[in-house]
Amino acid sequence: LKDTKIESKIIGFDLDRTKAETVLSMGAIDKLADDVAHCVEQADLVIVAVPVMVIKEVLIEIASHLKPESVVMDVGSTKKLVCQWAEQFLPQHTAFIGGHPMIGKESTAIEAADKSLFRGHHFITTPDTKTNEQAIALAKQLIKALGMKEKPMTPNHQDILVTWASDLPFIVATCLLLAASKRSSWQDTKIISSKGFYDTTRLASGSPPMYTDICLSNRESIINAIALLITELKAAQRLILHQDAKGIMSLFSAAKNKRDEWLSDVWQGKM
Amino acid sequence: LKDTKIESKIIGFDLDRTKAETVLSMGAIDKLADDVAHCVEQADLVIVAVPVMVIKEVLIEIASHLKPESVVMDVGSTKKLVCQWAEQFLPQHTAFIGGHPMIGKESTAIEAADKSLFRGHHFITTPDTKTNEQAIALAKQLIKALGMKEKPMTPNHQDILVTWASDLPFIVATCLLLAASKRSSWQDTKIISSKGFYDTTRLASGSPPMYTDICLSNRESIINAIALLITELKAAQRLILHQDAKGIMSLFSAAKNKRDEWLSDVWQGKM
């Protein structure tokens, strides 16, 4: 945020003081607050960037310290539950807008921070009927400054999209890793594995607490998606069992076509 | 191969004449043969690089044209079946050694050929009791010249390893893509999807005929691996259903640890 042209002062707070001081020394914030209350009491815009299930506590904690007309935004992966909490706990004189920048890295270390990560990607917002013009304008300004593309939608729709684009891929990567690593062949699998295994399992190196919160907060949608994936796996398994070369070929071709179409749209700038 | 210091003449043949001529004009081969018989009749080493299920036909076709003492190697993904065919169809006066370079690209176009693809990766060989010294030495020379690391093993063991390192990741990528693309949310999933979805589904853009042959030739092992993956997915699904935060956390941590251990071994050059 410091690199954008928005004139602002950024006050930061983190429960982990050492982490917070690293961020300060990196110049990513201007000032370190002693507690959450001090951090938010003068803020026009409060950005809550904590694991999804912790957002509830933070909203409760900041509620009585927010100044009138301030705007609160979260950047958690799940939106339906978070928007319900905001509705429930934030005072009427403030505005809330759910936010979810569609970027990520396996590493959550401060040292892995990378401002180029944002540019060109989508930033989902979930304004509700009570999100005022001012909050929307502020969010737009922020998203533009980060070089990201705003994509407004309902919290429910966002939770389904994120399930398919991110949560299920993580679970798939994790389960593939677990299944492979439980075999006696694992030692040699590791030796011969190359880019295919690396890429397909990359997300499994993501933060366990972050993804635990995501699974708890986006539960139904994820459970449903796992079931649909298992259906596909069983269909593939059945075709292979029956040596149905034609069926296998058409299954693989369908997936390849869908993916190649997607990439072609991305390359043509349609996305 | 042309870049290596092995003094040799490379004669190529492909059913697709245009493709073969492109390869010739790229300088990757010295001469184009008119048919398979002419291609192999003077060769010391014959490399069969065709989809797995076509290897059988090729072995049958070349069998009577091979000169005494010649060595035949294939580079197909599956080895148990291929070694059985070699045993069955190749004459006694030749030697066979199964080979599988552990590299790959989604694209199978000639234009995607990339000699740097090989360096540093493993090249699995499956010599059997009848593979003579000469064949092993020739294979070693070839693998070294490509900058690859030889990893000899039994055909059965190689088929299991490849299932986990490559075949199952492909099927997972394909099924994830299919499940996601069948939803009404697909249009928007495509828009917001970023590197996580891209990487986890990358293999789904692989060649459908190549993977169809892989599934047919490595059938039992793949069916078994899909079943084991489904077991993991169901376990994750159950934990999420029961909101078992501790269980979810320990599942995700186990996968992360296994993957990070693997990467750390790779970085330390232990692999």
Side-chain angles (χ1 to χ4, degrees):
Chain A
L1 276 184
K2 287 298 287 179
D3 280 1
T4 65
K5 280 172 193 145
I6 301 176
E7 224 170 286
S8 64
K9 193 162 173 182
I10 303 178
I11 305 177
F13 176 73
D14 196 295
L15 282 178
D16 180 343
R17 186 82 195 181
T18 319
K19 208 167 176 179
E21 277 165 4
T22 309
V23 174
L24 183 66
S25 72
M26 285 165 82
I29 59 172
D30 298 300
K31 202 184 143 185
L32 203 54
D34 290 327
D35 54 42
V36 171
H38 280 96
C39 189
V40 305
E41 64 192 2
Q42 288 173 51
D44 299 311
L45 172 64
V46 173
I47 299 175
V48 181
V50 295
V52 179
M53 297 306 275
V54 186
I55 295 176
K56 185 180 172 184
E57 292 167 44
V58 173
L59 292 180
I60 293 172
E61 203 172 342
I62 63 174
S64 59
H65 305 285
L66 293 166
K67 71 173 189 183
E69 311 298 312
S70 63
V71 177
V72 178
M73 177 189 259
D74 82 301
V75 289
S77 176
T78 313
K79 288 278 90 76
K80 212 163 69 175
L81 200 57
V82 171
C83 290
Q84 281 165 14
W85 291 333
E87 172 73 27
Q88 196 177 344
F89 302 115
L90 292 184
Q92 285 300 325
H93 62 78
T94 60
F96 178 79
I97 182 161
H100 186 197
M102 292 307 295
I103 44 132
K105 263 195 176 177
E106 305 93 284
S107 174
T108 54
I110 286 296
E111 293 70 23
D114 176 2
K115 59 197 175 195
S116 71
L117 204 59
F118 298 94
R119 193 155 297 279
H121 292 281
H122 282 90
F123 195 115
I124 297 175
T125 54
T126 59
D128 62 22
T129 47
K130 290 188 340 191
T131 312
N132 59 31
E133 291 296 319
Q134 182 208 350
I136 293 174
L138 204 56
K140 276 191 196 306
Q141 202 183 354
L142 173 76
I143 293 164
K144 203 179 154 195
L146 290 169
M148 300 185 76
K149 294 177 274 188
E150 195 197 359
K151 178 94 184 145
M153 59 183 72
T154 66
N156 192 46
H157 189 54
Q158 117 82 33
D159 287 1
I160 292 171
L161 294 191
V162 167
T163 298
W164 289 102
S166 163
D167 307 346
L168 187 63
F170 164 79
I171 287 173
V172 158
T174 294
C175 289
L176 176 59
L177 209 295
L178 287 173
S181 66
K182 282 178 185 171
R183 310 280 83 77
S184 61
S185 52
W186 176 233
Q187 282 309 320
D188 279 348
T189 302
K190 286 196 287 185
I191 292 175
I192 63 143
S193 283
S194 182
K195 201 161 175 285
F197 189 76
Y198 179 92
D199 279 356
T200 319
T201 61
R202 184 176 65 84
L203 293 179
S205 286
S207 160
M210 184 182 89
Y211 279 107
T212 300
D213 274 18
I214 286 173
C215 287
L216 294 172
S217 61
N218 199 12
R219 198 166 137 257
E220 273 173 59
S221 175
I222 292 175
I223 288 173
N224 182 41
I226 295 175
L228 290 164
L229 175 69
I230 290 176
T231 305
E232 293 296 333
L233 286 166
K234 284 187 174 166
Q237 194 185 33
R238 203 161 37 239
L239 289 170
I240 298 168
L241 180 70
H242 294 137
Q243 299 178 273
D244 181 348
K246 237 177 157 175
I248 298 171
M249 180 79 178
S250 98
L251 194 78
F252 295 174
S253 299
K256 179 178 169 55
N257 290 342
K258 286 287 176 191
R259 188 169 189 274
D260 292 352
E261 265 169 41
W262 168 52
L263 293 182
S264 143
D265 284 350
V266 172
W267 287 326
Q268 287 170 40
K270 284 189 202 160
M271 298 273 140
Chain B
L1 277 185
K2 286 299 287 180
D3 280 1
T4 66
K5 280 173 192 144
I6 302 177
E7 225 171 286
S8 63
K9 192 161 175 183
I10 305 179
I11 306 177
F13 176 72
D14 197 293
L15 281 179
D16 180 343
R17 186 81 195 184
T18 320
K19 208 166 173 179
E21 278 166 2
T22 309
V23 175
L24 183 65
S25 71
M26 286 165 81
I29 59 173
D30 299 299
K31 201 183 145 187
L32 202 53
D34 290 327
D35 53 42
V36 171
H38 280 96
C39 189
V40 304
E41 64 191 3
Q42 287 172 53
D44 298 311
L45 172 65
V46 173
I47 300 176
V48 181
V50 296
V52 180
M53 297 305 277
V54 186
I55 294 176
K56 184 180 171 183
E57 292 167 45
V58 173
L59 293 180
I60 294 172
E61 202 171 342
I62 64 175
S64 59
H65 304 285
L66 291 166
K67 69 174 192 183
E69 309 299 311
S70 64
V71 176
V72 177
M73 176 190 260
D74 83 303
V75 290
S77 177
T78 312
K79 289 278 90 78
K80 211 163 71 176
L81 200 57
V82 172
C83 290
Q84 281 166 13
W85 290 332
E87 172 73 29
Q88 195 177 347
F89 303 115
L90 293 184
Q92 285 300 325
H93 63 76
T94 61
F96 179 79
I97 182 161
H100 186 197
M102 291 307 293
I103 44 130
K105 264 195 176 177
E106 305 94 285
S107 175
T108 52
I110 285 297
E111 292 70 24
D114 176 3
K115 60 194 174 198
S116 71
L117 205 59
F118 298 93
R119 192 154 298 277
H121 291 280
H122 283 90
F123 194 116
I124 298 175
T125 54
T126 59
D128 62 21
T129 46
K130 289 189 341 196
T131 311
N132 59 31
E133 291 296 320
Q134 181 208 352
I136 293 174
L138 203 56
K140 275 193 198 304
Q141 201 185 356
L142 172 75
I143 292 165
K144 201 178 157 198
L146 290 168
M148 299 184 76
K149 294 177 274 189
E150 194 196 359
K151 179 95 185 143
M153 59 183 73
T154 66
N156 192 44
H157 189 55
Q158 115 83 32
D159 287 1
I160 291 171
L161 295 191
V162 167
T163 299
W164 290 102
S166 163
D167 307 347
L168 186 63
F170 164 78
I171 287 172
V172 158
T174 295
C175 289
L176 176 59
L177 210 295
L178 286 173
S181 66
K182 282 177 184 172
R183 310 279 84 75
S184 61
S185 52
W186 176 233
Q187 282 308 320
D188 279 348
T189 302
K190 285 195 287 184
I191 292 174
I192 63 143
S193 284
S194 183
K195 201 160 172 291
F197 189 77
Y198 180 91
D199 278 356
T200 319
T201 61
R202 184 176 65 82
L203 293 180
S205 287
S207 158
M210 185 181 89
Y211 280 107
T212 301
D213 273 18
I214 286 173
C215 287
L216 293 172
S217 62
N218 199 11
R219 199 165 137 256
E220 273 174 59
S221 175
I222 291 174
I223 287 172
N224 182 40
I226 295 175
L228 291 163
L229 175 70
I230 290 175
T231 304
E232 293 296 334
L233 285 167
K234 283 187 174 167
Q237 193 186 34
R238 204 161 36 239
L239 290 170
I240 299 168
L241 180 69
H242 295 136
Q243 298 178 276
D244 181 348
K246 237 175 155 176
I248 298 171
M249 179 79 178
S250 95
L251 195 78
F252 294 173
S253 299
K256 179 178 168 55
N257 291 341
K258 286 287 177 193
R259 187 168 190 275
D260 292 351
E261 264 169 42
W262 168 51
L263 293 183
S264 143
D265 285 351
V266 172
W267 287 327
Q268 286 171 42
K270 285 191 202 158
M271 299 270 140

